[in-house]
Amino acid sequence: MTGLIAASATAADKRVAFRAGLASGTIQRLPGAINPLTAKLIQEIGFEGVYVSGGAFSAGLGLPDIGLTTLTEVVSHSRQIACVTDLPVLIDADTGFGEPMSAARTVLAAEDAGIAGLHLEDQVNPKRCGHLDGKAIVPTDEMVRRLRAAVSARRDPNFVICARTDAAGISDTTASGKGGIDDAIERAKAYANAGADLIFTEALHTEAEFEKFRAAVDIPLLANMTEFGKSQLIPAKTLEDIGYNAVIYPVTTLRLAMGAIERGLREIHATGTQEGQLDQMQTRSRLYELLEYERYNEFDSGIFNFRIEESGS
Ligand SMILES: C[C@](O)(C(=O)O)[C@H](CC(=O)O)C(=O)O
Ligand SMILES: [Mg+2]
């Protein structure tokens, strides 16, 4: 029955695995899971970890990514995802949901939810998507306070605290931060000194910028391969060759699913049937396979009465 209902790996195992992956020299690929079922697929296909995106979570609630979601909402959604996978789950904790003390509380809640790590960003509150113009960052020392609070709250030393800097995407001089890639690199060094285990280099543009960042700091780095944003979409192998340690595909599964849902709904609206789209769908048998329906019979033989051979799908 191990691995049914909930994952077989413990939170401690997953954090150890994430740290080992970050130190391995092999890039850790973390697609965003929009729900626990997607996390099961991510594991089955063979990725190294699962990401929980704040942007995809808020979009799923029908809201823009402007800091409207709360610590409780994000952690409970992430707990459900972490619960069903043996893979480490990294979550998007935005700016920590408040002042430094709230960042500390966020870490405690994430640890209790079985999550392997989280990232905190240096944007002002309320934050916005890192690939939009007009965002603003807090002074370095304020972000350092956020991080110190998070690091000191941690009870499991293997829980990964990732610091995201949005500085590279800020071109105009703001009251709060210089911005630009050089500022981002300086900030990454300060964040590493404050105890961050991993740096999320948000909104770099080109391969050359990723290379420049890698050459300047000696702490694990995470790349964000989000679509339709400011960053060139660089293959995982190239990022690995550059020396990056992790890559997220944060909103990709939401965009894939929503693209398919919109096409399908329009066709049903236009033709009155979904008949022509059956080959685009995950079949009942594939869904049941992913859910491991059959294994549930191990402890209750009355549950599984679906026959793949007879159903034809
Ligand atoms: C990584 C990110 O923070 C997210 O919430 O997934 C977003 C992704 C996106 O909006 O494309 C971000 O880069 O700010
Ligand atoms: Mg986000």
Side-chain angles (χ1 to χ4, degrees):
M1 128 108 215
T2 339
L4 280 190
I5 303 178
S8 48
T10 66
D13 295 337
K14 296 180 210 177
R15 293 174 192 145
V16 168
F18 193 30
R19 284 203 175 250
L22 291 173
S24 68
T26 300
I27 195 156
Q28 304 298 290
R29 300 158 301 171
L30 287 74
I34 48 177
N35 52 31
L37 182 62
T38 311
K40 286 176 81 70
L41 197 50
I42 291 169
Q43 174 172 334
E44 196 187 286
I45 291 173
F47 288 97
E48 292 75 27
V50 172
Y51 179 68
V52 179
S53 154
F57 177 57
S58 52
L61 295 174
L63 298 170
D65 185 15
I66 52 175
L68 291 171
T69 51
T70 66
L71 162 61
T72 317
E73 287 176 318
V74 170
V75 168
S76 74
H77 168 70
S78 305
R79 175 190 291 109
Q80 290 180 323
I81 291 173
C83 177
V84 302
T85 179
D86 293 322
L87 296 177
V89 175
L90 174 72
I91 73 162
D92 180 354
D94 287 345
T95 57
F97 305 104
E99 298 307 308
M101 212 180 281
S102 300
R105 186 161 178 254
T106 303
V107 169
L108 295 171
E111 281 188 334
D112 287 344
I115 290 155
L118 58 73
H119 65 78
L120 293 167
E121 68 204 30
D122 58 8
Q123 287 198 46
V124 297
N125 270 318
K127 56 79 42 72
R128 55 168 72 196
C129 163
H131 291 256
L132 292 182
D133 295 322
K135 59 183 181 176
I137 48 177
V138 296
T140 304
D141 59 349
E142 195 172 326
M143 176 63 174
V144 162
R145 278 202 300 280
R146 245 176 227 172
L147 285 169
R148 288 225 166 97
V151 169
S152 66
R154 173 169 65 188
R155 291 154 299 182
D156 181 347
N158 287 324
F159 184 86
V160 169
I161 294 181
C162 171
R164 159 170 153 178
T165 178
D166 279 70
I170 303 209
S171 44
D172 52 332
T173 307
T174 64
S176 51
K178 289 198 296 265
I181 188 164
D182 293 328
D183 185 29
I185 288 170
E186 285 318 303
R187 281 169 176 266
K189 290 178 182 165
Y191 301 165
N193 284 336
D197 305 297
L198 174 67
I199 302 290
F200 177 154
T201 62
E202 177 66 319
L204 302 187
H205 294 88
T206 56
E207 241 175 84
E209 288 193 342
F210 284 87
E211 278 163 5
K212 178 170 174 171
F213 220 108
R214 177 66 289 172
V217 298
D218 55 12
I219 173 173
L221 294 178
L222 176 144
N224 177 10
M225 288 295 110
T226 194
E227 305 82 6
F228 316 114
K230 297 202 183 291
S231 305
Q232 205 183 308
L233 294 180
I234 305 170
K237 181 75 182 83
T238 310
L239 287 167
E240 182 177 280
D241 291 344
I242 292 173
Y244 266 64
N245 308 82
V247 55
I248 56 169
Y249 305 94
V251 192
T252 311
T253 56
L254 178 81
R255 295 193 223 282
L256 285 167
M258 289 307 293
I261 290 170
E262 182 168 353
R263 280 190 299 277
L265 288 176
R266 287 193 188 285
E267 184 148 338
I268 294 172
H269 188 257
T271 66
T273 176
Q274 71 276 53
E275 191 79 52
Q277 298 177 70
L278 294 179
D279 62 346
Q280 302 294 311
M281 293 187 190
Q282 182 180 57
T283 60
R284 182 184 292 269
S285 57
R286 177 68 187 115
L287 173 63
Y288 284 12
E289 182 184 65
L290 190 56
L291 291 171
E292 299 176 274
Y293 240 82
E294 211 159 20
R295 283 190 61 212
Y296 283 81
N297 261 3
E298 284 169 24
F299 63 96
D300 188 339
S301 58
I303 291 176
F304 186 78
N305 58 11
F306 171 74
R307 299 261 178 283
I308 292 175
E309 316 82 63
E310 288 165 20
S311 81
S313 56

